[in-house]
Amino acid sequence: MHIFIITDIEGISGIDSIEMIDMENEGYKTAVKYLMSDVNAAIAGAFAGGADRVTVLDGHGTGSNFIKEELDTRAEQLSASKYFKRPIDEWDIDAVFAIGCHAMAGTEKAFLDHTQSSRAWFDYKINGISHGEIGTQAAFFGMADIPLLLVTGDDAACAEAKEFIPDVMTVSVKKATQRNKAECIPSDKARELIFNAAKEALTRIGEIKPYKIALPLSVEVTYTRNDYCDSAVERDPTLKRCGRTVRRYLDKPTCCRDLEWF
């Protein structure tokens, strides 16, 4: 059984302020330590649950957050370029875990809520429904009948995951006190919960269904400013534009980049 794990950093245990995810801040060194602890707990849980192969992707920013020597040696790390370009029909995996998630842009009581770009993106929709990064990942893999089994992050991210996939397993490791601050559960407790959830998740393959969206589909982004929209249309003149929103239509995405090309 092959499990694919995609990570972000905002929903990792122990990270309780926006300063900690700034690479120039001293707290970032601690943040990536927590990142490795959470992802290793998920890897260990997957193997304990019966996986014979685990692939992981550092999905935050440019994908340069992992401390490679601390990654569980049983797991294989996938590069971001291969993730975005690999055709959907070539994904030889059985299920997905999303570790360290955050809620979509505009979510109240959410730690570091955003969708892709906190600076440029105001809203992102698939078939007219707002999606964050959790829903987008679930939709992409769902088109290949691959389920998202486990989501970890703050309370808001976990609630959002269940809106799209009611039966998905979740582990909440923190609660926002304001957009840029959070209260975290103890990291050792978070790792225990993630390990146990990852292990149990493999018993629920077949029960937790893939997130399916109707095809063909429309994908659109509403930007925070018109100049971001101007740039998007310059890059791709085939986009349909209305004010600060650009839209494209797809018969079927062939790779993840088709959903996140903006």
Side-chain angles (χ1 to χ4, degrees), residues 63 70 73 212 244:
E70 294 190 11
T73 56
K212 307 292 287 185
R244 291 183 294 121

Side-chain angles (χ1 to χ4, degrees), residues 10-37:
E10 291 85 354
I12 292 297
S13 69
I15 298 177
D16 60 6
S17 69
I18 191 172
E19 291 80 13
M20 290 185 72
I21 66 166
D22 180 357
M23 289 185 174
E24 302 301 318
N25 190 288
E26 189 66 24
Y28 176 77
K29 295 179 182 178
T30 302
V32 293
K33 288 278 189 181
Y34 287 135
L35 169 64
M36 300 315 298
S37 294

